[in-house]
């Protein structure tokens, strides 16, 4: 099995470096191959997503991605991660959010956000005129159907109780209305309870009734925002993993970004990267090793070993040593 490792920039290389130590420890037989992507790659090579990186992804069984910084001003810039999601048709963005150990986080939660990953507000199709900018936003029946089916099948397999379809169909009546209609069509006959909620109310419900949330299926931008919110409630951006799944390819990345405010300081929390690695191992069938990583993370945190964002004093390397010592 070949794993393409794309650390990116900012804290990406710090947390992915730690994650690869963990990966090599539990699955020494996996081959890791490194690829360039992001702002630091641009400064060296003049491109954000080189062709050899695309090739590496094509020939890998899974991709472990860190984070990349969006340049503030760059004419014609297209985010490499958005390009990868689109070009490899990674249509399902799976973002489970739960407290990584008891007592961590503002509220107790165990939810799964299933985010449509290829269209919605993310078409990038903006047209500038003298007065302003138009955005063409796309909601297709096909993409809505496959993400709702994905959420339904995942909920049935993992014995979840309820799916909440999150939308803004009260305003975006035709587009989000289509997403909501397709959701109920897909859910017909399923044993999973289905309901829908408008996105602003869902944002409030996540804070006030997190235990009533279970699986959320939603459009691209709402899923982006709600997943940062949920992560913050369950312990912070340092703890939330994610998977970008298609029928042929899969890319795994922490929910957080490149965190330029703490990059290079050695204090980034690698927990999200560890749990992302566990999701990747689960995906390629290495369930036992995935469980070992999750257990070692929980045990380290429960024993009080924590990075600064979780109120502790450990740096990335020292926290990683704690996790490695429990593997
Ligand atoms: P961010 O997620 O990078 O950081 C938000 C806050 O959370 C910061 O204060 C940061 O220090 C903290 N944080 C994030 N991860 C942490 C960790 N592992 N440990 C401790 N603290 C952590 O979001 P931002 O600051 O809005 O974005 C920074 C850059 O990252 C932007 O250029 C953005 O476009 C990019 N971004 C990239 C990705 C990705 O590559 N997948 C995802 C989100 C944002
Ligand atoms: C995420 C990120 C990306 C997104 C950015 C970096 C394009 O915020 O993966 O959550 O908006 O999807
Ligand atoms: Mn995001």
């Amino acid at each position: 099995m070949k794993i393409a490792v794309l650390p990116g920039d900012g804290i990406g290389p710090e947390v992915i470096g730690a994650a690869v130590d963990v990966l090599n420890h539990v699955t020494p037989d996996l081959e890791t191959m490194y690829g360039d992507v992001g702002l630091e790659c641009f400064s060296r090579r003049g491109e954000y997503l080189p062709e050899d990186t695309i090739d590496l992804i094509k020939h890998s069984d899974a991709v472990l991605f860190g984070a990349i910084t969006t340049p503030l001003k760059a004419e014609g810039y297209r985010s490499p991660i958005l390009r990868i999601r689109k070009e490899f048709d990674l249509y399902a963005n799976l973002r489970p959010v739960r407290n990584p150990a008891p007592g961590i986080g503002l509220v107790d939660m165990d939810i799964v956000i299933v985010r449509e990953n290829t269209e919605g507000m993310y078409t990038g199709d903006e047209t500038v005129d003298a007065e302003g900018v138009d955005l063409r936003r796309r909601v297709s029946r096909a993409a809505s159907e496959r993400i709702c089916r994905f959420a339904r099948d995942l909920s049935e397999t993992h014995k979840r109780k309820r799916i909440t379809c999150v939308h803004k169909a009260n305003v975006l009546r035709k587009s989000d209305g289509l997403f909501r209609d397709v959701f109920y069509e897909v859910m017909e006959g399923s044993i999973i309870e289905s309901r829908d909620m408008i996105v602003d109310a869902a944002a409030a419900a996540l804070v006030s009734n997190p235990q009533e949330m279970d699986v959320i299926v939603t459009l691209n931008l709402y899923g982006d925002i709600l997943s940062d919110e949920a992560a913050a409630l369950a312990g912070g951006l340092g703890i939330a993993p994610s998977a970008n799944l298609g029928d042929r390819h899969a890319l795994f990345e922490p929910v957080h970004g490149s965190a330029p405010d703490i990059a290079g300081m050695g204090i980034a929390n690698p927990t999200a990267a560890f749990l992302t690695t566990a999701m990747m191992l689960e995906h390629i069938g290495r369930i036992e090793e995935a469980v070992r990583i999750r257990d070692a993370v929980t045990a380290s945190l429960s024993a009080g070993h924590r990075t600064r964002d979780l109120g502790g004093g450990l740096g990335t390397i020292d926290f990683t040593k704690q996790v490695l010592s429990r593997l």
Side-chain angles (χ1 to χ4, degrees):
M1 285 263 187
K2 290 191 178 127
I3 308 297
V5 181
L6 312 184
D9 57 64
I11 62 167
E14 298 173 53
V15 297
I16 292 300
V20 170
D21 286 348
V22 164
L23 183 70
N24 286 336
H25 191 92
V26 296
T27 47
D29 55 302
L30 293 182
E31 187 185 345
T32 48
M33 303 171 306
Y34 282 80
D36 263 341
V37 67
L39 194 55
E40 192 272 328
C41 165
F42 178 79
S43 67
R44 262 187 299 114
R45 303 182 50 177
E47 42 188 346
Y48 294 95
L49 180 57
E51 203 54 45
D52 53 83
T53 300
I54 305 253
D55 266 4
L56 187 66
I57 298 174
K58 268 186 201 145
H59 298 107
S60 68
D61 296 289
V63 183
L64 182 60
F65 184 96
I68 54 178
T69 306
T70 308
L72 284 184
K73 293 266 177 221
E75 199 51 46
Y77 177 78
R78 256 182 88 208
S79 165
I81 186 65
L82 298 184
R83 267 187 65 195
I84 295 170
R85 287 174 185 164
K86 189 78 184 164
E87 285 172 26
F88 288 90
D89 201 24
L90 307 176
Y91 62 88
N93 192 184
L94 182 58
R95 299 189 152 183
V97 188
R98 64 177 80 93
N99 315 73
I104 289 187
L106 301 169
V107 298
D108 288 336
M109 69 160 73
D110 176 7
I111 70 167
V112 180
I113 297 175
V114 177
R115 166 191 183 195
E116 201 292 314
N117 218 19
T118 61
E119 53 177 42
M121 209 78 93
Y122 279 65
T123 55
D125 190 352
E126 294 180 314
T127 319
V128 181
D129 61 36
E131 273 79 46
V133 183
D134 278 324
L135 165 70
R136 191 189 59 90
R137 176 176 172 278
R138 177 78 182 161
V139 179
S140 71
R141 170 169 276 278
S144 305
E145 222 169 81
R146 68 177 175 174
I147 198 66
C148 290
R149 286 208 181 110
F150 179 94
R152 179 198 62 195
D153 295 349
L154 171 125
S155 303
E156 290 178 357
T157 311
H158 291 273
K159 305 214 173 347
R160 308 292 304 212
K161 291 198 165 53
R162 169 197 270 169
I163 308 184
T164 305
C165 169
V166 174
H167 59 79
K168 189 75 186 178
N170 56 332
V171 176
L172 305 169
R173 300 178 63 83
K174 290 201 166 69
S175 51
D176 282 27
L178 173 65
F179 190 84
R180 186 191 51 195
D181 289 350
V182 166
F183 166 71
Y184 282 117
E185 281 168 34
V186 165
M187 293 307 293
E188 236 176 68
S190 171
I191 50 161
I192 309 289
E193 182 191 328
S194 28
R195 65 170 184 176
D196 71 280
M197 218 183 243
I198 300 171
V199 62
D200 45 358
L206 258 185
V207 179
S208 34
N209 292 312
Q211 285 85 8
E212 285 183 23
M213 280 295 180
D214 191 356
V215 175
I216 290 174
V217 64
T218 190
L219 297 102
N220 210 336
L221 183 65
Y222 314 142
D224 178 43
I225 297 168
L226 292 180
S227 54
D228 267 37
E229 184 197 354
L233 290 168
L237 283 168
I239 60 106
S242 84
N244 298 266
L245 306 172
D247 292 332
R248 310 243 311 268
H249 297 276
L251 179 149
F252 299 81
E253 57 173 339
V255 168
H256 66 70
S258 61
D261 55 339
I262 58 164
M265 295 167 68
I267 59 171
N269 187 351
T271 298
F274 294 161
L275 298 176
T276 294
T277 304
M279 283 184 89
M280 180 181 77
L281 289 177
E282 199 167 37
H283 180 80
I284 61 168
R286 306 292 291 262
I287 316 282
E288 195 188 308
E289 290 91 341
V291 172
R292 281 179 61 204
I293 294 178
R294 290 195 185 108
D295 287 351
V297 167
T298 302
S300 305
L301 294 169
S302 297
H305 304 294
R306 295 175 189 189
T307 46
R308 284 201 215 171
D309 53 312
L310 296 178
L314 295 186
T316 312
I317 292 176
D318 286 328
F319 180 70
T320 303
K321 282 185 186 155
Q322 289 298 330
V323 173
L324 286 170
S325 76
R326 287 171 175 77
L327 285 167

